[in-house]
Amino acid sequence: MAIHYPNGRKFVPDTNDKPVARGNSQSNRGMSLENELNLANQYYLSRGIANIHKKPTPIQIVNVDYPKRAAAKITEAYFRQASTTDYNGIYQGHYIDFDAKETTSLTSFPLSNVHEHQVTHLRDIVNQGGWAFFIIRFSKLSETYVIKASLLIAYWDQQATHRKSIPYVDIATNGQLIEQNIMPTLPYLKAVDRLMLANH
Amino acid sequence: MAIHYPNGRKFVPDTNDKPVARGNSQSNRGMSLENELNLANQYYLSRGIANIHKKPTPIQIVNVDYPKRAAAKITEAYFRQASTTDYNGIYQGHYIDFDAKETTSLTSFPLSNVHEHQVTHLRDIVNQGGWAFFIIRFSKLSETYVIKASLLIAYWDQQATHRKSIPYVDIATNGQLIEQNIMPTLPYLKAVDRLMLANH
């Protein structure tokens, strides 16, 4: 169940929300949400409900060894910046595109968790008529929401002059809570249905 | 211009069409087609025509070094089998999904260039209502065609009892030739339009 915090609560910046080095603790922090999304996508795929996948991490390969009678081994490679979001696919004929992030903050989702290229990509998907959204987990509240990309974009575009985070209240009010379940544990497409079909 | 070879020409297996080790000469052979597709996708993205990307190669990362004041360096990793096709995105509201392969054969496209998982994936995308297709380049003919996934699937499903390749004639007749241009050099979405809209 969602606990809606009172509006007007003072925003306290959380040191845990600072961006960390790529491939470091940030990816570990996101592990649980990523795993739940992967399990949900496997479930949707096996039932013919949707075909949505997480894209592989983009890697710049510099050196590969080709040992005899063994798999090719990459011995030097580097992480590259993705130019899109992490997840895309098809659901009931709709092109689906989203990213997913966790925050330990109780009061807001810091925009430092989001990259410019992700916002640019989501903006383009909205223009192309796709279903573009963002999944945000407040890990300390055990609540996961789906918000429309347009809400994220609106906050992103004002951050230079106003706040650098999306208030929890705004996410809980305009977004849709993903109700936890048994299988899959995170049936996010139900929340996506409510989100995308309600305002059409 | 497409030169339509006479039907009934004897199929001569070409040694160059044998599958080769992953990450080896096959990826080099495909380089040119991949580059042209990437340039076309960049063009479509910049003009707001479509948002289609090649997925990164899936890598299993085993070891990463985190040197001070330098980028994280992957020191041990392996190629993983992809579970989808290489390309997907959105075009005029349609979910787009395809793979692209080159062959040096003059007379047919050997199904050894295709993996089971790619066929399974394309089959599912067709069921989900997406635009699923395959791009085939006959490199020695300098001709590149788009065929519907359903044509590939039909040949795939009969290969145990019948032929293990799609005849050139069938591709040229049922597919659409991508007319070369200046910018982009391979405007494949024009051929996709003709392919997908003609039979609807």
Side-chain angles (χ1 to χ4, degrees):
Chain A
M1 283 296 111
I3 300 155
H4 286 221
Y5 278 77
N7 205 340
R9 176 181 274 222
K10 191 160 179 284
F11 172 60
V12 183
D14 188 325
T15 51
N16 287 324
D17 290 321
K18 283 181 185 164
V20 294
R22 188 168 41 189
N24 205 326
S25 56
Q26 192 165 37
S27 55
N28 294 335
R29 239 204 297 151
M31 199 61 161
S32 167
L33 176 58
E34 180 181 329
N35 278 351
E36 285 198 76
L37 287 170
N38 287 346
L39 289 172
N41 287 338
Q42 280 171 30
Y43 174 88
Y44 292 136
L45 184 65
S46 69
R47 301 295 174 104
I49 295 167
N51 191 314
I52 299 168
H53 296 267
K54 184 175 191 292
K55 293 189 182 183
T57 305
I59 305 284
Q60 179 70 47
I61 298 170
V62 175
N63 239 313
V64 184
D65 276 359
Y66 296 99
K68 280 184 186 170
R69 283 183 288 279
K73 180 181 172 183
I74 299 161
T75 56
E76 186 181 356
Y78 300 92
F79 294 100
R80 281 192 299 134
Q81 180 78 293
S83 55
T84 64
T85 50
D86 279 352
Y87 298 86
N88 78 350
I90 182 169
Y91 169 53
Q92 295 185 341
H94 299 286
Y95 173 80
I96 296 289
D97 200 299
F98 66 99
D99 235 322
K101 295 283 178 192
E102 294 192 62
T103 181
T104 54
S105 167
L106 295 165
T107 54
S108 71
F109 176 70
L111 292 171
S112 56
N113 284 305
V114 182
H115 291 280
E116 176 85 44
H117 72 265
Q118 293 165 328
V119 179
T120 303
H121 178 73
L122 289 170
R123 215 188 285 268
D124 196 64
I125 297 304
V126 170
N127 289 338
Q128 292 283 339
W131 279 17
F133 51 89
F134 217 89
I135 294 180
I136 295 169
R137 169 167 291 177
F138 290 92
S139 49
K140 287 185 177 168
L141 300 173
S142 301
E143 291 176 15
T144 310
Y145 291 91
V146 187
I147 62 166
K148 282 193 182 181
S150 54
L151 183 65
L152 175 73
I153 292 164
Y155 273 95
W156 184 267
D157 287 345
Q158 58 76 57
Q159 66 176 322
T161 49
H162 294 79
R163 54 180 304 150
K164 298 192 191 312
S165 63
I166 311 175
Y168 168 85
V169 172
D170 210 350
I171 291 167
T173 307
N174 294 300
Q176 287 288 340
L177 181 70
I178 304 173
E179 310 274 359
Q180 296 283 133
N181 208 331
I182 294 165
M183 169 130 136
T185 54
L186 201 69
Y188 69 95
L189 288 178
K190 280 188 188 175
V192 168
D193 275 342
R194 293 196 303 272
L195 186 72
M196 304 307 288
L197 299 174
N199 305 355
H200 265 292
Chain B
M1 284 296 111
I3 300 155
H4 287 221
Y5 278 77
N7 204 342
R9 176 180 277 220
K10 190 158 180 282
F11 172 58
V12 183
D14 188 324
T15 52
N16 287 325
D17 290 320
K18 284 181 185 164
V20 293
R22 185 166 45 186
N24 205 327
S25 56
Q26 193 166 35
S27 56
N28 294 335
R29 239 202 299 150
M31 199 59 161
S32 166
L33 177 58
E34 180 181 330
N35 278 351
E36 285 197 77
L37 288 170
N38 286 345
L39 289 172
N41 287 337
Q42 280 172 30
Y43 174 87
Y44 292 136
L45 184 66
S46 69
R47 301 295 175 104
I49 295 167
N51 191 313
I52 299 168
H53 296 268
K54 183 174 191 291
K55 293 189 180 182
T57 306
I59 306 283
Q60 179 70 48
I61 298 169
V62 176
N63 239 314
V64 184
D65 276 359
Y66 296 99
K68 281 183 185 169
R69 283 183 289 277
K73 180 181 172 183
I74 299 161
T75 57
E76 187 181 356
Y78 300 91
F79 294 101
R80 280 192 299 133
Q81 180 78 293
S83 57
T84 64
T85 50
D86 279 352
Y87 297 87
N88 77 350
I90 183 170
Y91 169 53
Q92 295 186 341
H94 299 285
Y95 173 80
I96 296 290
D97 200 300
F98 66 100
D99 236 323
K101 295 284 178 192
E102 295 191 61
T103 181
T104 54
S105 166
L106 295 165
T107 53
S108 71
F109 176 70
L111 292 171
S112 56
N113 283 306
V114 182
H115 291 281
E116 176 85 44
H117 73 266
Q118 293 166 327
V119 179
T120 303
H121 177 74
L122 289 170
R123 216 188 284 269
D124 196 64
I125 296 304
V126 170
N127 290 338
Q128 292 284 339
W131 279 17
F133 51 89
F134 217 90
I135 293 180
I136 295 169
R137 169 167 291 178
F138 289 92
S139 49
K140 286 185 176 167
L141 300 173
S142 300
E143 291 177 15
T144 310
Y145 290 90
V146 187
I147 62 167
K148 282 192 181 182
S150 54
L151 183 66
L152 175 73
I153 292 165
Y155 272 96
W156 184 266
D157 287 346
Q158 58 75 57
Q159 65 177 322
T161 49
H162 293 80
R163 54 181 302 152
K164 298 192 191 312
S165 64
I166 311 176
Y168 168 86
V169 172
D170 210 350
I171 291 167
T173 307
N174 293 300
Q176 287 288 340
L177 180 70
I178 305 173
E179 311 274 358
Q180 294 283 134
N181 208 330
I182 294 165
M183 170 131 134
T185 55
L186 201 70
Y188 68 96
L189 288 179
K190 280 189 189 173
V192 168
D193 276 342
R194 292 196 303 271
L195 186 72
M196 303 308 287
L197 299 174
N199 305 355
H200 265 293

